[in-house]
Amino acid sequence: MILEYAIGAFILGGLIGLIRDYKASVKASSFMAFLGSLALLWQVYAVYTNGPVSGNLLGIPIKIDDLSIVFLLIIGIVGAAASLYAISYMELFEKTGKGWVYAVAYNTFLASMALVVTVDSMEYFVMSWELMTLSSFVLVFFSEKARDVNASVKYYIAMHFLDTIPLFLALGTAYSLVGSFEELTFENIANAMATAPASTKAVFTALLMIAFMAKSGMVPFHFWVAETYRAAPTSVSAVMAGAMEKVALYGLIALIWRTVGTSYNLGLFVAILGAVTLTVGTLYALRETNAKRLLAYHSIGQMGYIWLGMGIGMALIPKGGELAAIGALGAFAGLFHALNHAIFKASLFLSAGAVEYRTGTVELNELGGLGKTMKFTALATLFASLAIAGIPPFNGFISKWLIYVAGYQSRNFVLAFGAVLAAFISAATLASFVKFYGAQFGGEMKRYENVKEVPASMLIGQWILAGLTLLIGVFPRSVTGILNSAVIEIPNVSSAPITDGVYKIGFGSVMFSPVLFVVLLAVLAIGLYLGFKPEFGREAKPWDCGSTQINEDEYRTNAEGYYNWYEEKIGSFYRLGDWFYTVGAGAIHYLVRAYLWMASYFTKIVDTPYTKVETLDDLREREIMHIDEEAFKPFIRFLRIVYDVLPGIRLGTFVVIALVVVGAIVGILIAL
């Protein structure tokens, strides 16, 4: 299996990170991560052309089928772009001096995601999942700023309660049915579930739903997303938003839909969750002024679109006949949007990181005028912004359009209403990205007039993704074959859900031709240009109304002022959402308090035994000695003394010390 080469590259990337020099460590490990991601794409091509493969990797059972390669494709594309980008971007964190931490954690993160979507054992699925969570936690607090560390700790504790506990309980449930950890393959679990009591199926499904909802950032488990993505290095945020969220979607399909099965009610629940989440996430993004938090909320919203499509499929496919075909279209559209979202959302995060790299900030209120000095980054951002807003001919339009078609034709009021709501929210998405793009690249600001474009590796990383938004949008057939094959593997799906060709894509008689659209758009653009004949080269200073005291950089609408009137009109929605966020934040607060309470019994403060452990700062700012450290610290101190003293002592002195140590050991043995 080619997967072996990918995992080997990730392991080597982590080991290379042990180089002491920060820059050398980060660059070498990022390059190895890039090679490992390319190997994942090679594995995708091999399975797509030659069929599924199975085997063992370091004793772990592996099965790579048509569903797995969709998610390997996502991890490979996002991982390759982000890793290439990180070669230069991670220079921002040189002051931490811990390149080896990034190297080990980042390569482990990519490797663990690849294993989650390829292992053929629920035991190793859970182990890989926990490794993914742990490594992402380490990457989130990499900057070591207090706010970022707090965000990472809360993320990790939330994931323990909402991911780890449900997954281990689900693992125990599956073990009780199968009777052996060695036999916990997905096929064996599916066979056992076929004869299991309805209550057991319900418990197993509920536990997995909680875990996958939390990792996807679905409402009401979305409270961790914004701060976590803001705190992480931007290249890591791109991977988390682009790839990690999709791994939860794989779990929804592989562990729930294909092992337990689905029903109309479960599908309706998933679709409603998607509709609520796409609304909440997008409307909260609309009022954000921090670029990374804005993108994080849009990740929540776009995952809502994906779950809406999957919910339509889960609800309608069991009904059979024509409705099953419409359900298959919904599932196809959900998978398609998962791929598209991975591409354009990772691209947007990398663009935000490029702005941060050159200006030192991601606060939209402080930015502007970068379109003239960072032209390539600006164009990549424009492509990805149009894609996420669902504007043709970019990739986001086609997958969203297919979700609408599936919802409209579902003959179900709730599913049709969800599709209408999704179409409306796309307009809010466009409005949000008018602000996102305009605040950074529009207008003029003297403070940024000397800013330069980012290094080539960062530009290539951005354009790998930005270019794909247009390529897939114009030629969707480049990926529809893989997606069709994955959907056919879903139980009760008998044929490919869509018909496509070189020039068109659609369902039944509802067709769209991206190529024809591009041709018509080009003709319209040329006609407008010739008709209006715009004049270039003329410049005029903005009118200052006679004032001489206002800085020209202030002649603009800042990001905060874009949609004030709109925010006032739906203020009750934001107040309700803020209340729910407060409840969630309060729950996390008490979870952290519980963790600190337990920590106070397993740790002690060195030299200050009566100091209380009351806050995270108590654990971070003081020297902590854990139980295992207390046992081994004297031995470690002795080794450090030997390491410091040994090079300077003479042979005779060394012999005397050695004889004393040997004598002490012999004396202890005699006494015993």
Side-chain angles (χ1 to χ4, degrees):
M1 289 183 295
I2 302 168
L3 182 65
E4 296 175 348
Y5 298 105
I7 299 300
F10 293 136
I11 293 173
L12 185 57
L15 294 175
I16 287 176
L18 300 179
I19 300 172
R20 294 273 181 112
D21 181 74
Y22 176 88
K23 285 189 176 180
S25 172
V26 166
K27 291 180 185 298
S29 61
S30 296
F31 183 72
M32 290 307 302
F34 169 71
L35 294 180
S37 300
L38 291 183
L40 293 181
L41 297 178
W42 184 14
Q43 179 70 81
V44 170
Y45 176 77
V47 171
Y48 180 61
T49 54
N50 301 319
V53 297
S54 58
N56 283 284
L57 176 62
L58 302 176
I60 301 173
I62 298 291
K63 183 179 180 181
I64 308 175
D65 57 19
D66 290 325
L67 178 65
S68 296
I69 64 172
V70 173
F71 294 90
L72 283 180
L73 179 65
I74 290 171
I75 297 167
I77 291 174
V78 174
S83 301
L84 199 59
Y85 177 95
I87 291 174
S88 296
Y89 171 79
M90 289 303 297
E91 293 174 358
L92 289 179
F93 300 89
E94 187 173 2
K95 290 183 180 179
T96 65
K98 295 182 178 180
W100 67 272
V101 174
Y102 162 79
V104 173
Y106 182 68
N107 280 275
T108 301
F109 187 35
L110 292 175
S112 61
M113 285 191 291
L115 288 174
V116 167
V117 301
T118 56
V119 294
D120 189 26
S121 165
M122 189 170 176
E123 178 188 7
Y124 287 105
F125 177 90
V126 174
M127 292 173 60
S128 302
W129 187 282
E130 287 306 300
L131 192 60
M132 173 182 70
T133 301
L134 176 61
S135 54
S136 60
F137 155 68
V138 173
L139 291 167
V140 170
F141 73 78
F142 186 72
S143 71
E144 295 187 340
K145 295 177 182 177
R147 182 182 174 186
D148 297 347
V149 173
N150 285 338
S152 67
V153 171
K154 290 177 180 178
Y155 158 68
Y156 193 58
I157 293 175
M159 288 300 103
H160 264 304
F161 278 85
L162 296 174
D163 259 12
T164 302
I165 293 176
L167 280 177
F168 272 94
L169 290 175
L171 178 63
T173 304
Y175 172 76
S176 68
L177 293 174
V178 176
S180 169
F181 281 115
E182 289 74 18
E183 301 297 326
L184 274 180
T185 64
F186 295 159
E187 183 179 357
N188 288 342
I189 295 173
N191 293 334
M193 284 291 170
T195 57
S199 58
T200 302
K201 294 181 182 179
V203 169
F204 186 74
T205 301
L207 290 169
L208 292 177
M209 281 293 294
I210 292 171
F212 301 147
M213 285 170 60
K215 188 64 79 176
S216 289
M218 303 298 290
V219 173
F221 301 142
H222 65 293
F223 49 81
W224 61 271
V225 177
E227 269 300 285
T228 300
Y229 289 4
R230 181 209 56 77
T234 308
S235 55
V236 174
S237 300
V239 179
M240 293 179 74
M244 185 184 75
E245 290 177 347
K246 312 307 177 298
V247 169
L249 179 67
Y250 172 81
L252 176 69
I253 300 171
L255 265 74
I256 295 180
W257 198 345
R258 295 205 308 191
T259 58
V260 184
T262 186
S263 65
Y264 171 76
N265 290 332
L266 178 60
L268 199 63
F269 175 70
V270 170
I272 292 172
L273 271 178
V276 171
T277 300
L278 70 88
T279 303
V280 172
T282 304
L283 292 183
Y284 263 85
L286 193 61
R287 73 173 189 174
E288 270 296 336
T289 58
N290 179 285
K292 291 175 71 174
R293 284 178 60 88
L294 182 149
L295 295 176
Y297 276 117
H298 274 297
S299 282
I300 296 170
Q302 296 302 309
M303 287 303 298
Y305 280 92
I306 295 166
W307 278 56
L308 174 60
M310 280 296 156
I312 293 172
M314 295 175 77
L316 298 184
I317 287 175
K319 289 184 172 294
E322 186 179 349
L323 286 178
I326 296 170
L329 173 65
F332 175 91
L335 269 181
F336 197 1
H337 200 63
L339 173 62
N340 288 338
H341 174 250
I343 292 169
F344 58 63
K345 180 51 60 64
S347 178
L348 287 165
F349 267 110
L350 297 188
S351 297
V355 171
E356 178 192 20
Y357 184 84
R358 284 307 188 197
T359 65
T361 184
V362 290
E363 289 295 333
L364 298 177
N365 283 328
E366 300 174 11
L367 294 167
L370 295 172
K372 290 186 176 181
T373 55
M374 301 179 68
K375 295 180 180 178
F376 295 107
T377 293
L379 187 58
T381 306
L382 179 62
F383 276 30
S385 297
L386 293 173
I388 193 174
I391 304 298
F394 296 92
N395 64 343
F397 166 77
I398 296 177
S399 52
K400 284 187 176 183
W401 173 66
L402 292 175
I403 292 173
Y404 307 154
V405 171
Y408 298 156
Q409 298 193 12
S410 65
R411 303 174 192 171
N412 179 282
F413 173 78
V414 175
L415 299 179
F417 179 76
V420 171
L421 188 62
F424 167 76
I425 291 299
S426 281
T429 303
L430 177 60
S432 181
F433 279 91
V434 167
K435 176 177 73 174
F436 178 80
Y437 182 86
Q440 295 182 96
F441 302 104
E444 296 182 5
M445 290 190 76
K446 287 187 176 180
R447 76 177 80 168
Y448 299 127
E449 61 185 2
N450 295 320
V451 166
K452 297 180 180 179
E453 187 56 272
V454 293
S457 64
M458 294 177 68
L459 280 178
I460 294 172
Q462 292 179 71
W463 273 99
I464 288 173
L465 300 170
L468 285 173
T469 64
L470 184 59
L471 177 65
I472 295 174
V474 177
F475 301 107
R477 199 178 189 188
S478 58
V479 295
T480 53
I482 293 177
L483 298 171
N484 267 333
S485 299
V487 174
I488 291 173
E489 282 196 348
I490 294 174
N492 301 320
V493 176
S494 58
S495 60
I498 68 161
T499 55
D500 63 344
V502 177
Y503 303 111
K504 61 183 180 179
I505 182 173
F507 175 77
S509 61
V510 184
M511 304 297 292
F512 173 72
S513 175
V515 174
L516 180 60
F517 179 86
V518 170
V519 172
L520 293 176
L521 187 65
V523 171
L524 178 62
I526 294 171
L528 289 173
Y529 178 85
L530 295 177
F532 289 94
K533 295 181 180 179
E535 297 181 7
F536 299 100
R538 293 188 178 185
E539 294 185 3
K541 288 187 176 182
W543 182 42
D544 60 5
C545 302
S547 171
T548 58
Q549 303 299 321
I550 302 177
N551 189 320
E552 285 188 15
D553 282 359
E554 303 303 321
Y555 297 172
R556 64 193 181 95
T557 299
N558 62 17
E560 192 173 0
Y562 263 70
Y563 303 114
N564 277 339
W565 180 84
Y566 175 77
E567 291 177 23
E568 291 173 2
K569 291 297 181 182
I570 61 169
S572 57
F573 167 81
Y574 286 124
R575 285 190 292 273
L576 179 64
D578 290 343
W579 180 81
F580 277 112
Y581 180 82
T582 302
V583 172
I588 291 296
H589 169 74
Y590 286 109
L591 289 177
V592 172
R593 295 290 302 170
Y595 168 77
L596 293 172
W597 178 77
M598 290 185 290
S600 66
Y601 286 90
F602 289 97
T603 64
K604 73 174 186 178
I605 309 298
V606 177
D607 299 329
T608 53
Y610 300 105
T611 301
K612 294 182 179 180
V613 179
E614 295 183 339
T615 67
L616 292 175
D617 288 338
D618 293 333
L619 293 177
R620 182 165 57 247
E621 295 177 357
R622 294 179 176 87
E623 184 182 2
I624 301 295
M625 184 187 293
H626 298 268
I627 292 175
D628 54 346
E629 292 177 321
E630 191 168 358
F632 287 101
K633 197 163 187 178
F635 178 67
I636 298 299
R637 284 177 174 172
F638 172 75
L639 291 180
R640 286 179 176 174
I641 292 171
V642 172
Y643 179 80
D644 292 335
V645 174
L646 192 60
I649 63 177
R650 297 179 181 178
L651 180 61
T653 308
F654 176 77
V655 171
V656 171
I657 293 175
L659 290 174
V660 171
V661 172
V662 171
I665 294 173
V666 172
I668 292 172
L669 293 175
I670 292 173
L672 293 175

